[in-house]
């Protein structure tokens, strides 16, 4: 009998391999010398036994562990300077044009458009973080969806394969200009997986897309696994893939577009909240409210600012005439963030242990549409996981 599509842990090659690579990289800090060689041989043996006895998922997981261990023996992969120089020059030109067009708003828009975050003031960053919207300053899935959405509109008559090749070229250029941040690579690879599935007439599997993007990043730079950006980005998208449908179903009493927007914000927040508390020691109490207010503005800010910024390269006078649009929208966005963050209870200090984080994520897995246990037991497992998380913090 065919395994239902909503079950996560049936045989998915990318998921098995991705989890194995993560485990191998994580394990590499604990073994060295003969222990490293023994672990490598053991995982290779398990992989062979898995293939022999027909346990393909276990075989790929063990193979991923071996690959993760081996990958830690060398440093990150970097593109040749001669290839990267044009993109670095383009980044400098675009950043300078942004600064000349948008005045006081330039640091914020430079961060949102090109990932140049050095000029963002502490007060603005603190306000965004207090509202739980600091993620819009990190190039990620939100920004890639704007770019691909605009491309789809411009190339709506093109064939699916042509859309895929155009998107691949544009997203690679965007990643290169932004200096390849992990969150942007993750979103770009996932987007291209979806476009390739559409072009080849296949069904896109989101867990496999997430796993494949993780494999690409970790094989390029194993140290990315320990980066806060990597963890927050994957935490958000994994939780969206697991909980988006159940949360949207719970909100069926309100119009579907609004329910989906609220569900997207809530799931993304759930995916990043434990890690945010662990790393930053604070909970944005009004995060969901602030996201609901501000996120609808972000596409208009992003697309108008990018359009004006690109026009400014060729026709500066026309760009200056149009620059009032993104500046006005940015004013509305920042003033909303400042107002919300000024509320006395907007942020509460908190702390959580790594083990408690794992139990919180396990609780979310339990009630997702990719269940770890049967439907009759998932709420009991969720309650038990949350109880264990509380015990870990005592």
């Amino acid at each position: 009998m065919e395994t239902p599509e909503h079950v996560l842990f049936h045989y998915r090659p990318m998921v098995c391999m991705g989890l194995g690579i993560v485990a191998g990289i994580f394990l590499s800090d604990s073994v060295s010398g003969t222990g490293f060689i023994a672990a490598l041989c053991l995982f290779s043996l398990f992989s062979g036994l898995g293939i022999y006895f027909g346990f393909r998922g276990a075989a790929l997981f063990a193979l991923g562990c071996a690959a993760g261990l081996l990958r830690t023996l060398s440093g990150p992969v970097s593109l040749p300077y001669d290839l990267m120089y044009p993109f670095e020059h383009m980044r400098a030109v675009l950043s300078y044009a942004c600064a000349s067009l948008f005045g006081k708003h330039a640091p914020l828009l430079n961060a949102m458009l090109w990932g140049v975050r050095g000029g963002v003031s502490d007060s603005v960053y603190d306000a965004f973080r207090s509202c739980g919207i600091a993620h819009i300053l990190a190039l990620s899935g939100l920004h890639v969806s704007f770019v691909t959405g605009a491309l789809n509109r411009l190339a709506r008559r093109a064939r699916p394969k042509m859309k895929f090749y155009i998107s691949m070229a544009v997203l690679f250029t965007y990643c290169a200009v932004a200096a390849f941040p992990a969150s942007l690579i993750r979103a770009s690879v996932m987007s291209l997986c979806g476009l390739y599935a559409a072009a080849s007439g296949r069904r896109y599997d989101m867990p496999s897309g997430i796993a494949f993007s993780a494999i690409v990043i970790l094989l390029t730079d194993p140290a990315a696994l320990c980066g806060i950006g990597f963890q927050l980005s994957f935490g958000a998208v994994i939780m969206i893939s697991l909980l988006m449908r159940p949360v949207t179903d719970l909100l069926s009493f309100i119009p579907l577009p609004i329910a989906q927007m609220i569900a997207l914000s809530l799931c993304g927040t759930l995916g990043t909240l434990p890690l945010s508390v662990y790393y930053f020691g604070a909970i944005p109490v009004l995060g969901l409210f602030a996201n609901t207010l501000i996120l609808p503005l972000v596409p208009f800010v992003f697309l108008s600012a990018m359009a004006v910024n690109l026009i400014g390269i060729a026709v500066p006078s026309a760009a200056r005439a149009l620059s009032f649009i993104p500046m006005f929208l940015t004013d509305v966005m920042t003033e909303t963030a400042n107002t919300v963050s000024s509320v006395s209870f907007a942020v509460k200090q908190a702390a959580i242990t790594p083990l408690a984080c794992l139990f919180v994520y396990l609780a979310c897995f339990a009630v997702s549409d990719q269940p770890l246990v049967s439907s009759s037991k998932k709420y009991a497992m969720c309650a038990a996981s949350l109880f264990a998380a509380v015990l870990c913090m005592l």
Side-chain angles (χ1 to χ4, degrees), residues 57-70:
L60 278 173
F61 177 81
L63 184 62
C65 290
L69 282 171
L70 282 173

Side-chain angles (χ1 to χ4, degrees), residues 235-260:
V237 75
I238 288 171
M239 210 53 62
I240 288 169
S241 73
L242 293 175
L243 295 177
M244 182 73 179
R245 189 188 306 172
V247 173
T248 304
D249 291 343
L250 288 175
L251 300 174
S252 58
F253 57 90
I254 59 178
L256 184 60
I258 298 175
Q260 289 177 331

Side-chain angles (χ1 to χ4, degrees), residues 318-329:
R320 280 192 290 271
L322 295 170
S323 62
F324 75 94
I325 300 173
M327 286 197 289
F328 170 74
L329 294 172

